[in-house]
Amino acid sequence: MPTLHVSYVWFQSGYPLPLHSHDADCYYLVIAGSMKVGSEELLKGDGVLIPGASPYTVNPGAGGVEFLEMRTSPDYDTHYRAKTDTYWDRVADTRRARKDIWAEEKAPYGLLDLS
């Protein structure tokens, strides 16, 4: 498929991915670790289709998550849906609080060696 775009994604444990949407459909395939999308917990080998314009967030499991993101568009727009300063303050607080933990955390599968 000439317009297929595939990305490798690694979110460390507790990474606060803000509520957002894209203007293109995307499919996530978990290759290691776990994550929640909505009320569903996805484990290695599980996948989920996120239709374009559907707001969502990903909540990585305790060991983080690695997944492949596939889209039928090589380019797309991201629209962040959080509307309050309080929401963004919580995201920033989580990032500050987990900084030292993330410095030591390794990817569950380790597709990329970043050491």
Side-chain angles (χ1 to χ4, degrees):
M1 180 179 295
T3 60
L4 181 64
H5 176 80
V6 179
S7 297
Y8 162 80
V9 181
W10 168 35
F11 289 143
Q12 292 171 298
S13 63
Y15 182 81
L17 181 69
L19 181 66
H20 68 286
S21 64
H22 302 283
D23 63 350
D25 296 345
C26 65
Y27 179 78
Y28 293 162
L29 176 63
V30 177
I31 58 175
S34 65
M35 67 184 186
K36 283 187 85 170
V37 178
S39 62
E40 296 293 320
E41 182 173 13
L42 305 177
L43 305 172
K44 180 180 178 180
D46 291 338
V48 62
L49 175 66
I50 308 291
S54 297
Y56 74 101
T57 188
V58 169
N59 296 302
V65 65
E66 289 177 278
F67 59 93
L68 298 178
E69 178 185 73
M70 293 161 258
R71 300 179 188 279
T72 57
S73 173
D75 195 14
Y76 54 88
D77 289 328
T78 300
H79 305 280
Y80 290 97
R81 302 300 185 107
K83 297 185 183 340
T84 66
D85 289 342
T86 302
Y87 180 91
W88 290 108
D89 289 344
R90 283 195 319 261
V91 168
D93 289 346
T94 299
R95 294 183 81 168
R96 279 190 291 274
R98 298 195 63 82
K99 180 181 175 185
D100 292 338
I101 295 167
W102 291 340
E104 301 297 321
E105 193 170 290
K106 303 290 183 209
Y109 179 74
L111 188 61
L112 299 178
D113 181 7
L114 301 176
S115 56

